Amino acid sequence: MTHEEHHAAKTLGIGKAIAVLTSGGDAQGMNAAVRAVVRVGIFTGARVFFVHEGYQGLVDGGDHIKEATWESVSMMLQLGGTVIGSARCKDFREREGRLRAAYNLVKRGITNLCVIGGDGSLTGADTFRSEWSDLLSDLQKAGKITDEEATKSSYLNIVGLVGSIDNDFCGTDMTIGTDSALHRIMEIVDAITTTAQSHQRTFVLEVMGRHCGYLALVTSLSCGADWVFIPECPPDDDWEEHLCRRLSETRTRGSRLNIIIVAEGAIDKNGKPITSEDIKNLVVKRLGYDTRVTVLGHVQRGGTPSAFDRILGSRMGVEAVMALLEGTPDTPACVVSLSGNQAVRLPLMECVQVTKDVTKAMDEKKFDEALKLRGRSFMNNWEVYKLLAHVRPPVSKSGSHTVAVMNVGAPAAGMNAAVRSTVRIGLIQGNRVLVVHDGFEGLAKGQPCAELCGLSPQIEEAGWSYVGGWTGQGGSKLGTKRTLPKKSFEQISANITKFNIQGLVIIGGFEAYTGGLELMEGRKQFDELCIPFVVIPATVSNNVPGSDFSVGADTALNTICTTCDRIKQSAAGTKRRVFIIETMGGYCGYLATMAGLAAGADAAYIFEEPFTIRDLQANVEHLVQKMKTTVKRGLVLRNEKCNENYTTDFIFNLYSEEGKGIFDSRKNVLGHMQQGGSPTPFDRNFATKMGAKAMNWMSGKIKESYRNGRIFANTPDSGCVLGMRKRALVFQPVAELKDQTDFEHRIPKEQWWLKLRPILKILAKYEIDLDTSDHAHLEHITRKRSGEAAV
């Protein structure tokens, strides 16, 4: 970025004023967005105002519209709800109310409005914008504003951020608050699971989401529910028979627990509501099962925002400020949304229109259309759910193939969810599925006669119920080792033949990827290794080439975040305290950077961005200045391998020495707790979809490689990594990823999240360059619906 461009970012807001308000229902993560808008706005030289109590505050004016300072948004990142308040506002719906709102903005010189809310709030903002010039001329005629004020405020820029736990807004894959709501729901489902298993119970859980089944759908995927009712896809007319048959089948298979998820807006094909009480009465009457109903209600809106929502809110807030300050009278009001892993700007009214089209399609009972309009992400979830919940696995395995599944590397939360969906999709396709214990070591040992020697077999066949209840379990149930295959090629080849293994699904971290590369090499010597294999990235470090995300990284991030929140809280109690926290990740700085964004750290030291003693000095000086403000605490993250000489102890000692008399320092090494815990909804859902996609690919590849009665796969595309790249799940040959890998440090050469580092520094008040070259440009939603494959 040139000096001029940098200067432009720093001066973009000079002479401008931005107001930020939250409207409609509250959602966790709104505060992260407000904080980012305020701080980035101030960074660009703009004045930023809070509007308290949503549109009501805009209409009432006075103390409801207050100028924000840097410090006024401190400590709000980890709070749920919205600190600046939200209200339903009748006044703003009337022109008279909007006239008062316009007057309040003009008097303060505010011509940029950032609205964080649902579709109703955003539609209101667009109406306001389209009437703006008429409102101004009315105010001028009435003598309430001067001609000069009218000229200064001649047009209003509007940018919307969607804050809604329902994820019911078309054009974005995730709305702010959805991920946190899923966290609340999963905590309750996990708690219910333990009590239900004690008693052999059926639980009917009602979740929020008015006209949108997203929360219900992802919950059912994430907990392996027996059935889900969503408004977009009403069940067939004989659903009562089907449901009861399904429940009794799972009981006979040995399951002690049935879970049925109901979206509050669930309906049948005729539009008649299906309530949780209806379902309970049906199950009790027909099957006599002990059945309980739990209506989750507003619990789902509560609690602290997840790491995902804090980062999403922060990223969207930065993008919103840029969109506002770059706006002209000709740019339409836009909404900042997330597509896969990219921030995009979309015309606000196009998104609102599609969102309304969904409701219209459902009212007209065109359910297939409603499902399509919800977008690819929603469709993919529905397809995987249908496969896993509604298909009976074939009884015979005639003409089937044998696929083996294994875990390689360090344990990561979500591995078990990936194994479960791989196994079950394999069985549904009529395949024989083997599970391998202890990674490549187990594949080499095999031990088919293990029972005779009192040992457990390393390779065994898995049935449907073998993986029952695995989705919510952390770690690796199969056992996982870092051992690579090369030195055991002979034994591995022998076992591939002995067990007739025709395909291999490897779920794991960097060793899973390097192990895949070794298998490719080994094909030259051993024909037995010429079978298709696919690697599903699963590691807390998120360092596997070919994927923006790895299964397990989200769980680790949330664990770090929760710990940082607690640490910051203790610092707030004692004042003038700086915490230095060491995170995992090997040489990969993903966890330290993202946790730094999500927890509001002052600095995050990582290997990918080399730092010197002068940088450390600047950080200490920065904290000395911070202690003079009302915010008397600091948080510094250090990735475990960021620098071999500037160790955590060194940095702690340096800060302790330099901070004498100004602040105290404390250090925490988080260690292996970051790998543990129950997987987050994101990891469960991501792992489930990855497993299903990998198994579908595998079946196709085996058929493709079938020659003369045996499998022979030796093309580069028969050994792949399945990864998420920007907007789509893609299969990439491991051999092609070789050039993109730094093997010495076990990281990809290019990593998308490094572009988020400047945001971390700006939000911590550093004078730095903000690269605006990678900003989202306005797109159109029609393309998003038809052409893009979101996860």
Side-chain angles (χ1 to χ4, degrees):
M1 183 177 181
T2 65
H3 178 70
E4 287 71 32
E5 278 180 305
H6 160 52
H7 193 65
K10 288 290 306 268
T11 54
L12 203 55
I14 289 174
K16 296 183 180 177
I18 298 171
V20 57
L21 65 90
T22 51
S23 171
D26 65 314
Q28 309 97 316
M30 279 181 165
N31 291 324
V34 169
R35 170 180 177 268
V37 170
V38 168
R39 290 195 168 172
V40 176
I42 292 171
F43 169 84
T44 63
R47 294 175 72 197
V48 187
F49 292 83
F50 290 134
V51 180
H52 291 275
E53 312 308 331
Y55 284 123
Q56 194 62 56
L58 209 56
V59 174
D60 295 345
D63 280 349
H64 287 97
I65 305 176
K66 280 198 191 110
E67 188 158 356
T69 64
W70 195 271
E71 291 155 43
S72 61
V73 290
S74 181
M75 278 308 260
M76 71 193 272
L77 193 57
Q78 61 267 45
L79 301 175
T82 163
V83 171
I84 58 174
S86 178
R88 309 271 178 204
C89 173
K90 282 199 182 119
D91 294 345
F92 193 75
R93 289 185 184 161
E94 307 299 326
R95 195 169 186 282
E96 184 52 43
R98 295 194 288 276
L99 201 61
R100 283 162 59 195
Y103 169 78
N104 290 327
L105 290 180
V106 173
K107 282 295 177 195
R108 290 169 178 78
I110 300 169
T111 55
N112 297 287
L113 189 58
C114 176
V115 178
I116 307 167
D119 57 345
S121 312
L122 300 184
T123 310
D126 193 71
T127 309
F128 190 38
R129 178 187 165 139
S130 58
E131 289 179 349
W132 185 253
S133 52
D134 292 348
L135 295 171
L136 288 197
S137 58
D138 283 12
L139 290 168
Q140 264 175 292
K141 279 177 203 155
K144 291 194 169 174
I145 61 170
T146 65
D147 293 355
E148 192 190 343
E149 284 173 328
T151 313
K152 261 190 174 170
S153 304
S154 61
Y155 67 94
L156 177 70
N157 274 325
I158 284 190
V159 171
L161 301 183
V162 193
S164 156
I165 65 163
D166 303 338
N167 204 24
D168 58 353
F169 192 80
C170 293
T172 186
D173 285 352
M174 285 296 263
T175 57
I176 296 169
T178 305
D179 187 66
S180 302
L182 286 169
H183 274 250
R184 291 300 88 76
I185 296 169
M186 287 319 303
E187 283 160 17
I188 290 161
V189 172
D190 288 349
I192 278 174
T193 303
T194 50
T195 167
Q197 281 177 333
S198 313
H199 296 276
Q200 275 211 354
R201 278 202 177 129
T202 298
F203 265 92
V204 182
L205 242 85
E206 185 180 301
V207 300
M208 277 172 132
R210 274 183 316 183
H211 311 297
C212 179
Y214 185 87
L215 289 178
L217 179 52
V218 175
T219 299
S220 63
L221 269 180
S222 303
C223 71
D226 295 283
W227 198 286
V228 68
F229 291 93
I230 61 170
E232 291 87 347
C233 269
D236 294 329
D237 291 339
D238 62 344
W239 66 267
E240 292 94 342
E241 305 293 328
H242 192 157
L243 172 66
C244 293
R245 188 176 69 235
R246 171 121 190 92
L247 296 179
S248 54
E249 272 175 15
T250 49
R251 280 283 164 103
T252 34
R253 282 201 207 113
S255 169
R256 298 175 59 82
L257 156 76
N258 295 120
I259 295 181
I260 301 163
I261 309 286
V262 192
E264 60 182 355
I267 47 173
D268 65 16
K269 284 249 160 78
N270 304 311
K272 183 176 166 282
I274 297 176
T275 68
S276 33
E277 280 299 326
D278 294 342
I279 297 161
K280 174 192 167 173
N281 296 337
L282 171 79
V283 176
V284 171
K285 193 171 148 197
R286 296 221 188 155
L287 298 171
Y289 290 170
D290 185 355
T291 307
R292 303 291 157 100
V293 171
T294 303
V295 179
L296 298 192
H298 281 73
V299 163
Q300 296 159 81
R301 284 194 195 281
T304 55
S306 65
F308 185 95
D309 273 330
R310 298 180 197 196
I311 293 163
L312 180 64
S314 303
R315 283 173 78 178
M316 285 184 165
V318 173
E319 195 58 61
V321 172
M322 289 303 148
L324 282 170
L325 299 180
E326 289 165 12
T328 67
D330 304 326
T331 44
C334 78
V335 61
V336 175
S337 73
L338 183 79
S339 177
N341 188 27
Q342 273 189 314
V344 292
R345 296 179 193 174
L346 298 168
L348 189 139
M349 289 321 287
E350 281 187 26
C351 298
V352 169
Q353 190 51 54
V354 179
T355 306
K356 285 182 175 160
D357 290 348
V358 178
T359 317
K360 185 166 174 269
M362 280 158 58
D363 289 345
E364 292 171 2
K365 304 193 176 38
K366 295 178 182 165
F367 296 110
D368 287 351
E369 195 180 315
L371 200 59
K372 281 197 191 84
L373 288 167
R374 280 272 182 239
R376 287 293 291 270
S377 175
F378 195 97
M379 294 267 293
N380 288 349
N381 283 320
W382 180 246
E383 291 308 318
V384 174
Y385 159 73
K386 276 200 309 195
L387 265 180
L388 285 169
H390 282 230
V391 177
R392 288 173 163 184
V395 182
S396 78
K397 303 250 187 299
S398 58
S400 71
H401 304 296
T402 303
V403 181
V405 188
M406 63 203 279
N407 292 158
V408 175
M415 277 182 163
N416 297 324
V419 172
R420 171 186 174 269
S421 95
T422 307
V423 168
R424 288 198 169 172
I425 296 289
L427 294 172
I428 286 164
Q429 290 169 346
N431 295 321
R432 179 168 162 257
V433 185
L434 302 175
V435 289
V436 180
H437 298 272
D438 302 331
F440 287 116
E441 217 169 278
L443 191 59
K445 283 187 187 155
Q447 296 174 341
C449 321
E451 284 87 350
L452 302 175
C453 326
L455 297 167
S456 54
Q458 299 289 84
I459 301 173
E460 56 180 329
E461 192 168 338
W464 187 267
S465 49
Y466 184 91
V467 289
W470 277 29
T471 327
Q473 309 237 356
S476 161
K477 303 265 285 183
L478 291 182
T480 178
K481 292 238 166 112
R482 291 180 183 270
T483 322
L484 291 168
K486 203 172 189 173
K487 52 180 187 291
S488 321
F489 275 163
E490 282 187 22
Q491 299 97 299
I492 287 173
S493 299
N495 280 329
I496 285 175
T497 306
K498 187 187 288 176
F499 291 91
N500 191 25
I501 295 170
Q502 296 165 313
L504 199 54
V505 178
I506 309 166
I507 301 160
F510 201 82
E511 285 87 1
Y513 161 68
T514 41
L517 280 170
E518 287 188 5
L519 291 177
M520 286 305 265
E521 279 298 302
R523 286 177 173 182
K524 292 170 191 161
Q525 287 169 280
F526 298 91
D527 275 1
E528 295 86 345
L529 298 179
C530 293
I531 57 170
F533 69 83
V534 59
V535 175
I536 296 176
T539 164
V540 300
S541 307
N542 197 27
N543 62 338
V544 178
S547 191
D548 289 355
F549 295 112
S550 295
V551 171
D554 186 69
T555 304
L557 204 50
N558 277 287
T559 309
I560 298 168
C561 245
T562 311
T563 312
C564 288
D565 288 352
R566 287 175 185 167
I567 285 170
K568 274 171 80 173
Q569 205 171 25
S570 84
T574 46
K575 300 279 188 277
R576 300 187 194 284
R577 185 159 281 178
V578 174
F579 280 89
I580 290 111
I581 296 176
E582 182 189 296
T583 65
M584 281 171 101
Y587 285 99
C588 179
Y590 177 81
L591 289 179
T593 298
M594 297 309 249
L597 254 180
D602 293 281
Y605 300 120
I606 63 167
F607 166 76
E608 292 91 340
E609 199 174 275
F611 55 97
T612 65
I613 192 73
R614 279 180 296 285
D615 297 311
L616 290 169
Q617 205 176 341
N619 294 148
V620 172
E621 185 48 41
H622 180 265
L623 285 163
V624 167
Q625 293 308 316
K626 192 177 179 183
M627 296 300 154
K628 293 176 185 167
T629 69
T630 53
V631 188
K632 299 187 186 336
R633 46 159 220 285
L635 180 68
V636 173
L637 299 181
R638 180 189 172 275
N639 166 252
E640 58 183 355
K641 287 191 176 173
C642 64
N643 188 302
E644 59 181 330
N645 293 315
Y646 297 145
T647 60
T648 302
D649 284 340
F650 175 91
I651 292 174
F652 167 68
N653 291 335
L654 175 80
Y655 275 65
S656 300
E657 183 58 37
E658 296 294 317
K660 267 187 186 158
I662 305 159
F663 58 78
D664 289 340
S665 298
R666 296 283 188 276
K667 69 168 186 221
N668 279 52
V669 176
L670 299 186
H672 279 73
M673 63 176 263
Q674 293 161 80
Q675 279 181 359
S678 178
T680 56
F682 180 94
D683 276 334
R684 296 182 196 200
N685 189 20
F686 188 43
T688 301
K689 284 198 278 196
M690 292 282 260
K693 197 157 177 91
M695 207 50 161
N696 283 333
W697 175 89
M698 182 60 74
S699 292
K701 270 286 171 263
I702 291 177
K703 288 190 183 87
E704 229 174 83
S705 321
Y706 208 73
R707 296 200 185 92
N708 311 326
R710 58 169 291 221
I711 304 293
F712 188 77
N714 65 347
T715 53
D717 68 348
S718 60
C720 284
V721 167
L722 168 58
M724 181 179 170
R725 277 276 165 100
K726 284 190 175 166
R727 303 187 182 196
L729 284 179
V730 285
F731 291 91
Q732 301 141 105
V734 285
E736 278 177 25
L737 292 170
K738 225 170 162 173
D739 295 342
Q740 301 172 26
T741 311
D742 169 353
F743 286 97
E744 186 192 345
H745 299 106
R746 299 160 52 90
I747 51 174
K749 285 178 185 169
E750 279 190 23
Q751 303 185 86
W752 67 272
W753 50 266
L754 284 167
K755 287 189 176 139
L756 300 183
R757 297 228 0 126
I759 299 176
L760 180 118
K761 291 174 190 166
I762 288 168
L763 294 176
K765 210 174 184 176
Y766 282 92
E767 293 293 319
I768 67 126
D769 291 358
L770 174 65
D771 180 359
T772 52
S773 61
D774 191 44
H775 271 197
H777 297 288
L778 197 67
E779 293 190 6
H780 290 279
I781 191 169
T782 39
R783 241 194 69 220
K784 167 82 183 69
R785 269 160 44 212
S786 54
E788 302 294 358
V791 251

